[in-house]
Amino acid sequence: MMKNLQDTVTLYNGVKMPGFGLGVFKVEEGPELVNAVKVAIKHGYRSIDTAAIYGNEEGVGQGICEGLKEAGISRENVFVTSKVWNADLGYDATIAAYETSLKKLGLDYLDLYLIHWPVEEKYKEAWKALETLYKEGKVKAIGVSNFQVHHLKDLMEDAEIKPVINQVEYHPRLTQKELQAFCEKHHIQLEAWSPLMQGELLDNEVLTEIANKHNKSVAQVILRWDVQNGIITIPKSTKEHRIVENASIFDFELTKEEIERIDELNQNHRVGPDPDNFDF
């Protein structure tokens, strides 16, 4: 289990990925975005997660560049993830999308590249493209996002390389136990997007009670729950004090009983699209 902000999880291909990072979903291009990424790196974050569809890769790249300078570290010290969008799923289109993302980010390589959504009859060709990028050394690791168990089974039937990561919506109202068990069995690391359920859990009574006991915020309790469940997590924030607060979760531990109480909040409730009923 992670002991500090810069601890890593070793993916099944041997690549070490920070277990905690910054997400930038819905953060528009501009100074706020650049500053958020820079500030996160300055405060010890070593993982930044973006996607082509977010439309903010240039700002993320600028923030990484400025953050590296400010922290006095090199590119190899920061783990950068992006994702190929649905419109670009196809062998040639996915290769081109990767190159576009790389150019916008101003980087020579990505650490992790994901298929953003399991668009039927398209993700297998896209996966072949990711395998090519991986074999050519253009990306350190490849994975998927929003894949259910049946999508993973289908992909792995033909894949030469299986995904190292499955990034999914994951929070106390959507614990995805079956998916987590499947991923663990196949050594696919689960990663949480929207871990704070877009703020909908911050006044939950159970979480508030646990937070008060530990003298922590509800957000910190949820993120600590992620870490203790072995889930990589990427909370989003653009405010410096919140970026720092989100990462201040390594000085306390939830009890087994508290983890079970949080698990029991599950309602299989999504705030994002359902991968099986998404209008691709």
Side-chain angles (χ1 to χ4, degrees):
M1 188 170 65
M2 290 181 70
K3 296 287 193 292
N4 61 64
L5 178 56
Q6 292 177 12
D7 264 2
T8 57
V9 173
T10 302
L11 306 177
Y12 85 78
N13 68 341
V15 167
K16 294 182 186 302
M17 177 176 182
F20 197 95
L22 180 76
V24 296
F25 175 57
K26 285 188 176 173
V27 185
E28 293 181 2
E29 287 280 27
E32 185 183 38
L33 167 69
V34 174
N35 188 60
V37 174
K38 178 177 75 172
V39 156
I41 293 171
K42 182 180 84 172
H43 285 292
Y45 281 67
R46 294 295 177 261
S47 177
I48 310 292
D49 179 281
T50 185
I53 195 64
Y54 300 171
N56 60 16
E57 288 173 313
E58 289 179 3
V60 168
Q62 188 183 336
I64 290 170
C65 183
E66 292 182 13
L68 294 178
K69 282 181 189 165
E70 197 150 318
I73 57 174
S74 62
R75 160 71 183 96
E76 291 70 35
N77 296 118
V78 175
F79 193 99
V80 185
T81 302
S82 194
K83 313 173 195 81
V84 56
W85 184 241
N86 306 337
D88 293 318
L89 294 185
Y91 186 85
D92 293 334
T94 297
I95 299 278
Y98 176 84
E99 297 295 347
T100 299
S101 285
L102 213 55
K103 191 175 177 184
K104 286 183 176 178
L105 286 159
L107 301 175
D108 296 326
Y109 68 94
L110 283 182
D111 295 276
L112 178 64
Y113 198 45
L114 306 177
I115 292 177
H116 207 147
W117 287 93
V119 182
E120 276 186 71
E121 297 176 13
K122 285 191 173 181
Y123 60 75
K124 285 195 176 184
E125 277 302 299
W127 187 252
K128 285 179 185 170
L130 264 62
E131 289 179 330
T132 296
L133 291 166
Y134 178 71
K135 288 178 196 168
E136 291 177 353
K138 292 182 177 178
V139 61
K140 298 289 179 68
I142 52 176
V144 294
S145 183
N146 302 302
F147 274 50
Q148 305 284 71
V149 169
H150 68 94
H151 297 124
L152 290 167
K153 284 180 176 175
D154 183 49
L155 181 70
M156 291 192 299
E157 275 180 16
D158 301 313
E160 280 184 67
I161 303 163
K162 68 182 176 186
V164 296
I165 287 271
N166 186 17
Q167 185 187 117
V168 297
E169 182 180 342
Y170 179 95
H171 46 69
R173 289 280 190 230
L174 184 69
T175 55
Q176 307 243 43
K177 292 294 184 188
E178 182 196 355
L179 180 62
Q180 185 177 359
F182 180 87
C183 287
E184 283 175 2
K185 180 182 173 185
H186 293 278
H187 309 292
I188 299 167
Q189 173 65 46
L190 213 58
E191 180 178 12
W193 64 258
S194 200
L196 304 178
M197 202 180 170
Q198 296 177 14
E200 287 187 27
L201 286 166
L202 299 183
D203 57 358
N204 178 273
E205 286 181 13
V206 171
L207 294 170
T208 300
E209 182 192 323
I210 294 170
N212 289 340
K213 183 183 156 193
H214 291 282
N215 200 24
K216 288 288 181 179
S217 69
V218 168
Q220 287 169 322
V221 165
I222 294 170
L223 297 170
R224 180 70 201 181
W225 172 76
D226 281 357
V227 167
Q228 288 186 225
N229 274 327
I231 308 293
I232 290 176
T233 189
I234 45 168
K236 180 195 90 172
S237 184
T238 56
K239 296 177 173 62
E240 184 166 9
H241 73 279
R242 191 77 68 214
I243 288 169
V244 173
E245 181 189 295
N246 283 346
S248 301
I249 58 169
F250 300 102
D251 56 354
F252 78 106
E253 194 162 327
L254 298 170
T255 65
K256 185 169 176 283
E257 182 195 34
E258 287 168 339
I259 286 176
E260 286 169 359
R261 286 185 72 196
I262 297 171
D263 285 348
E264 285 167 5
L265 295 174
N266 180 55
Q267 296 176 343
N268 296 323
H269 178 69
R270 296 178 181 275
V271 288
D274 180 348
D276 285 324
N277 298 288
F278 186 31
D279 184 11
F280 296 109

